[in-house]
Amino acid sequence: MRLNDSARRWMPWLLLAASVIATAAVYWPGLTGGWVFDDFPNIVDNAAIHITRGHSTLVAWVNSALSSPSSFLRRPLASLTFSLNWYFGGDNPWPFKLTNVIIHLVNGVLVFLMLRALLRLVGLRAASRAQARSYQATPANKIAGAGRRAAPASSFPATTYGSPPLDESAATRLALIVATAWMLLPINLMAVLYVVQRMES
């Protein structure tokens, strides 16, 4: 069954949404876990992170952003998000882990978009080079082109000199496969469900 143009246009996004949902389903059981290892010095035992509605001041938020004992870099952005989680959810680790999963899913979508753009760019460049070689190799251009520069490759349509080595649909499929594999890669499990590893996201 052939898909119409509208279905072909939306299919990659539907498949990407399915990948995101599948990844969320895989990680969902892990949201019930508790605090472990470095979660304690960085979050649970770090009083600067424990901002509440009665103590929400600019100074408190700045101090929380610079309160991580993990390194001299302080990881201010990650620490600030920990403070936001504590502000809205207290010491319950569930919203912290949920935030990590959401960040992971957003990163997966960004991987898809970035890889698709790069693959399309590679395909266009390869097609341009192939078009230029094809144009220069024609008998008329071999005779007339000795003292004349060839016209830019972009001025010749791809339909005349062959399809790009990696067309848009192929780039989209490959980007979708890689992004899905990355989101479901087991090595990411600890980085996502181990709350303090948000610093590495």
Side-chain angles (χ1 to χ4, degrees), residues 2 5 21 36 48 54 60 71 86 90 103 131 152-153 170-171 174 178 184 200:
R2 290 188 175 183
D5 291 340
I21 293 171
V36 293
S71 75
W86 193 283
I103 292 172
Q131 291 167 17
L174 182 56
V178 173
L184 293 171
E200 309 300 329

Side-chain angles (χ1 to χ4, degrees), residues 71-158:
S71 75
F72 71 94
L73 296 175
R74 299 300 181 185
R75 313 293 177 85
L77 182 58
S79 295
L80 193 60
T81 62
F82 293 150
S83 296
L84 285 169
N85 280 138
W86 193 283
Y87 182 81
F88 290 106
D91 61 353
N92 181 5
W94 194 90
F96 285 81
K97 293 177 183 289
L98 178 63
T99 302
N100 281 17
V101 172
I102 292 173
I103 292 172
H104 181 63
L105 297 177
V106 170
N107 285 338
V109 174
L110 293 177
V111 167
F112 166 75
L113 294 174
M114 179 188 69
L115 187 57
R116 186 179 68 157
L118 289 174
L119 290 172
R120 290 167 67 182
L121 180 61
V122 169
L124 288 173
R125 287 187 173 180
S128 295
R129 288 194 296 268
Q131 291 167 17
R133 287 194 297 268
S134 178
Y135 175 77
Q136 293 168 358
T138 57
N141 287 317
K142 284 183 177 179
I143 296 173
R148 185 182 63 186
R149 294 179 61 187
S154 59
S155 63
F156 305 101

Side-chain angles (χ1 to χ4, degrees), residues 47-53 55-57 60-61 64 83 86-88:
I49 293 292
H50 305 165
I51 297 178
T52 60
R53 286 173 174 79
H55 300 85
S56 178
T57 64
W61 287 102
S64 72
S83 296
W86 193 283
Y87 182 81
F88 290 106

